Amino acid sequence: MPARLHVDLPLQAGLELELPAGAARHVQVLRHQPGDVLTLFNGQGGEWQATVLQMGRSDVRVQIGCHDPVARELPLAVTLAAVMPANDRFDWLIEKATELGAAVIEPLMSERSVLRLNAERADKKRAHWQAIAVAAAEQCGRTRVPRIAAVRTLAAALASPDGGPDAVTTLALSLAEARPLAERLAAADAPLRSLRLYSGPEGGFSPAEEEALRRAGALPTTLGPRVLRAETAPLAALGYIGLTASVAG
């Protein structure tokens, strides 16, 4: 199977270009040779066939071939606004949320957050998470890479939701007076085109945060009688949302 690589560059048939450093290293590691065929995508839709023209010590030159307008995205745009779990579990969450089709992933801090980042560390983490999303999109066949938003507090996210003030269906994973996810999706305006999902930290949202979410229009939503981990719950929700949306589409 040809290597599948994301390149943040304009692509068109017949164009010759040098691959960005990260993509070039990938091709070098896989020991591709001139004449080998690669698959490239730039997040603008579909993917492109490319042929290796030249392999240097650290650079790779390719020629872009035909475009395949293949579409593998969900029929609705899902923003996952998740309070970051401790350790490196958010890395894993980013990878799996990308595979499951999230369009935007917004890292949040809340009252009960274990992981708290200052501005400098947050910027470094954001770049690291964006690279994880790129790698996951390359692996799973997505033609668009989810955008990793800036790290901020839950209060800031509620005051100014990422993506602007446009009306979307907003859900908050909760154990307090919540309705099942299937019921929330069935009650949404059809066809559902965008959804914002809030997911809490270890220990869940505080009572004050639960109230703030409700005031902001987030509907309390449950995934069932079991208590899932902070990194498991949003992925379970994404999986169900993706399956339901794909069947409905």
Coordinates of all heavy atoms in Angstrom, one line a residue, residues 3 22 36-37 44 88 105 133 141 163 180 188 199 206 227 245:
A3 N 2.5 4.9 0.7 CA 2.5 5.7 1.9 C 1.5 6.8 1.8 O 1.3 7.3 0.7 CB 3.9 6.3 2.1
G22 N 8.7 16.8 7.4 CA 8.2 15.6 8.1 C 7.7 14.5 7.1 O 8.0 13.3 7.4
D36 N 8.2 5.3 -7.3 CA 7.2 4.8 -6.3 C 6.1 5.8 -6.2 O 6.3 7.0 -6.4 CB 7.8 4.6 -4.9 CG 8.7 3.4 -4.9 OD1 8.7 2.6 -5.8 OD2 9.4 3.2 -3.8
V37 N 4.9 5.3 -5.9 CA 3.7 6.1 -5.9 C 3.3 6.3 -4.4 O 3.3 5.4 -3.6 CB 2.5 5.4 -6.6 CG1 1.2 6.2 -6.5 CG2 2.9 5.3 -8.1
Q44 N -8.0 19.7 2.1 CA -9.0 20.5 1.3 C -10.0 19.6 0.6 O -10.8 20.1 -0.2 CB -8.2 21.4 0.2 CG -7.2 22.3 0.8 CD -7.8 23.3 1.8 OE1 -8.8 23.9 1.5 NE2 -7.2 23.3 3.0
D88 N -0.5 11.3 29.9 CA -0.5 11.4 28.5 C -1.8 10.9 27.9 O -1.8 10.6 26.7 CB 0.7 10.6 27.9 CG 2.1 11.2 28.3 OD1 2.1 12.5 28.4 OD2 3.0 10.5 28.5
I105 N -11.0 19.6 18.1 CA -10.8 19.1 19.4 C -10.3 20.3 20.3 O -9.3 20.9 20.0 CB -9.8 18.0 19.5 CG1 -10.3 16.8 18.6 CG2 -9.6 17.5 20.9 CD1 -9.3 15.7 18.4
A133 N -2.8 14.4 15.6 CA -4.0 14.4 14.8 C -3.6 14.2 13.3 O -4.3 13.4 12.6 CB -4.7 15.7 15.0
G141 N -7.2 7.2 7.1 CA -7.8 7.5 5.8 C -8.6 8.7 5.7 O -9.2 9.0 4.7
G163 N -15.5 28.4 17.2 CA -16.3 28.3 16.0 C -17.3 29.3 15.9 O -18.0 29.5 14.9
P180 N -30.6 10.1 27.8 CA -29.7 9.3 27.0 C -29.3 10.0 25.7 O -30.0 10.8 25.1 CB -30.6 8.0 26.7 CG -31.6 8.0 27.8 CD -31.9 9.4 28.1
A188 N -32.8 16.3 18.1 CA -32.2 17.4 17.4 C -32.8 17.7 16.1 O -33.5 16.9 15.5 CB -30.7 17.0 17.2
S199 N -17.1 17.3 27.5 CA -16.8 16.2 28.3 C -15.9 16.6 29.5 O -14.9 17.3 29.3 CB -16.1 15.1 27.5 OG -15.7 14.0 28.2
S206 N -17.9 20.1 38.2 CA -18.4 20.5 39.5 C -19.9 20.9 39.4 O -20.4 21.2 38.3 CB -17.6 21.7 40.1 OG -17.9 22.9 39.3
V227 N -20.0 4.3 35.0 CA -19.2 5.5 35.0 C -17.9 5.3 34.2 O -17.1 4.4 34.5 CB -18.8 5.9 36.4 CG1 -17.9 7.2 36.5 CG2 -20.1 6.2 37.3
A245 N -25.0 9.1 12.7 CA -25.0 10.1 11.6 C -24.8 9.4 10.2 O -25.4 9.8 9.2 CB -24.0 11.1 11.8

